[in-house]
Amino acid sequence: MQITKQLIGDTRIPFVTMKGDKPGRRVVVVSGMHGGELTGMKAAHCLIEIVNIARGTLYVIPSANAQGITLGMRNAPIDLGWRGIREGDDLNRSFVGRYRSGTTKRLAWQIYNLVRDVNPTVVIDLHNWVDPATNFAIIDRPLNERACFATSHAEAFARVFGVPMCHDLPRARYVAVGHDKSLTGALVNHAHIPAFTVELGGAYSAKNVFIGVTGLLNVLKHCNMLTEDVWVPRIAQNENADAMRLEEVCKKGFQGEVRYWVKPGQLVVADAQLATLFSANHDCVIGYAFAKQVGIILALGPKKHQTKSEPLVTMAVCERRMPWKKGEFGRFLDCQSASTST
């Protein structure tokens, strides 16, 4: 196995290439897109240290947003452009980027082209969600016919990764919040390359790092890139689950304190109470949050809401409303992951 470590482009992107002795598939792993999300970076570094590629090539970008990582900030802290120096943008809302632009979009353009040019079999982008949250994978919304083929392949690889999987927000909301301008969204919809995002829980923990490394090894093993005698533990999942998608439970105009009655990973039924909403002084109840349909809790919002547009709860719900009959609900109780159809 040959290992090459280099800094690419004028933005000096760390790029690790691990090439096996025999030809095979090409897998790209990206982490550090948001500076404050450390679990994915640790998983990527652990993978580099322990993996031995026998066939094909593994490419790793362990620190995509070096500026943000240095200061522990989500966005790129500084953007140098024709307008001068200003606060940087969210790198993962800037793809496909633009070379003749500020630092953030130029960095996005270089990362996008760097990944696209290696013509990968699949791209895995490692992130963290808000705390608390469970581990799950997100499949982007295809915005054209050719992208449907890429998302179907991304679903297959995400299923192999092993964490619960769901489709992104509904198409209109997906575009409105800029998820189509994420790295995976741009790769799927512009380059038509299979790509998916993995959210490795909320706060940094050794367990989430282990799940990330194990999932990456599962994908490499599936691609026949490791030696045959390597045993990789599988993360239990239900591959026959119904199609799921992200659902945000919001309360328009709410600013105050929240008491949650659910936790990440919990299955809830329709009309179940998710949270009680209090005033900013916690002196009176001003509302409640309920689940609109059956789903799995993926993440909870902050206990003190200061941003009116911030979701209270993020769930994975059925893509289509299911006609549950008496006695059938039990088969949904084991749904700790979900395959999706686009």
Side-chain angles (χ1 to χ4, degrees):
M1 182 181 69
Q2 300 177 356
I3 302 178
T4 304
K5 300 179 180 180
Q6 53 189 326
L7 298 175
I8 303 295
D10 58 358
T11 51
R12 315 300 285 168
I13 305 167
F15 192 61
V16 180
T17 304
M18 309 179 73
K19 188 173 183 180
D21 298 329
K22 299 179 181 179
R25 295 184 175 182
R26 297 169 297 279
V27 174
V28 176
V29 176
V30 182
S31 65
M33 192 72 70
H34 294 138
E37 300 175 0
L38 305 179
T39 308
M41 289 187 286
K42 181 62 176 178
H45 282 285
C46 288
L47 182 70
I48 294 172
E49 293 175 1
I50 67 173
V51 77
N52 183 19
I53 302 298
R55 303 175 187 84
T57 309
L58 171 65
Y59 303 93
V60 182
I61 302 177
S63 307
N65 180 9
Q67 281 189 11
I69 294 168
T70 302
L71 297 177
M73 296 176 61
R74 174 183 174 88
N75 296 354
I78 299 175
D79 195 302
L80 300 174
W82 62 275
R83 293 182 178 179
I85 301 176
R86 65 180 183 86
E87 184 178 352
D89 298 322
D90 187 337
L91 178 59
N92 209 36
R93 299 294 183 271
S94 303
F95 291 94
V96 295
R98 187 178 180 183
Y99 182 72
R100 296 184 179 276
S101 185
T103 307
T104 307
K105 288 190 176 181
R106 186 166 73 251
L107 175 60
W109 183 87
Q110 291 182 334
I111 292 175
Y112 173 80
N113 285 276
L114 181 63
V115 173
R116 184 196 61 181
D117 291 346
V118 303
N119 191 24
T121 306
V122 64
V123 179
I124 306 170
D125 190 13
L126 303 178
H127 286 260
N128 292 109
W129 202 260
V130 296
D131 187 38
T134 186
N135 296 275
F136 60 99
I138 304 175
I139 307 298
D140 284 271
R141 289 283 179 183
L143 302 180
N144 54 67
E145 187 174 352
R146 291 184 64 188
C148 293
F149 182 78
T151 55
S152 65
H153 280 262
E155 290 170 11
F157 284 110
R159 204 171 293 122
V160 170
F161 192 97
V163 295
M165 179 178 64
C166 61
H167 207 276
D168 211 316
L169 297 167
R171 182 168 176 169
R173 177 68 175 163
Y174 170 76
V175 174
V177 298
H179 287 187
D180 60 319
K181 296 180 181 178
S182 65
L183 174 61
T184 56
L187 290 171
V188 165
N189 288 298
H190 294 276
H192 309 119
I193 293 173
F196 63 96
T197 300
V198 177
E199 300 288 348
L200 294 174
Y204 175 87
S205 72
K207 178 183 177 181
N208 291 336
V209 173
F210 172 78
I211 291 175
V213 174
T214 303
L216 294 172
L217 291 174
N218 283 335
V219 173
L220 296 176
K221 186 71 173 179
H222 176 75
C223 293
N224 197 29
M225 296 173 64
L226 307 179
T227 56
E228 287 80 359
D229 58 346
V230 173
W231 177 80
V232 178
R234 291 299 303 275
I235 304 174
Q237 62 166 333
N238 178 7
E239 297 185 359
N240 298 317
D242 296 295
M244 307 285 280
R245 66 168 172 82
L246 285 181
E247 172 81 9
E248 294 178 338
V249 179
C250 302
K251 202 74 171 180
K252 291 185 178 180
F254 169 70
Q255 287 181 299
E257 297 189 12
V258 186
R259 181 176 181 181
Y260 293 101
W261 300 104
V262 292
K263 59 183 179 180
Q266 180 178 339
L267 175 71
V268 296
V269 298
D271 299 324
Q273 184 175 341
L274 304 177
T276 303
L277 313 181
F278 295 88
S279 62
N281 298 327
H282 204 82
D283 53 359
C284 64
V285 177
I286 60 176
Y288 303 92
F290 298 93
K292 295 181 180 179
Q293 60 189 100
V294 176
I296 300 172
I297 304 298
L298 297 178
L300 305 179
K303 293 183 178 180
K304 291 187 177 181
H305 269 250
Q306 299 178 350
T307 305
K308 295 182 179 181
S309 60
E310 195 169 18
L312 296 168
V313 177
T314 302
M315 301 175 56
V317 301
C318 293
E319 187 78 47
R320 301 170 296 277
R321 288 189 177 272
M322 304 300 292
W324 300 107
K325 299 179 181 179
K326 186 176 181 180
E328 287 188 348
F329 184 73
R331 69 186 178 89
F332 194 78
L333 294 176
D334 294 328
C335 178
Q336 296 302 314
S337 67
S339 59
T340 64
S341 56
T342 304

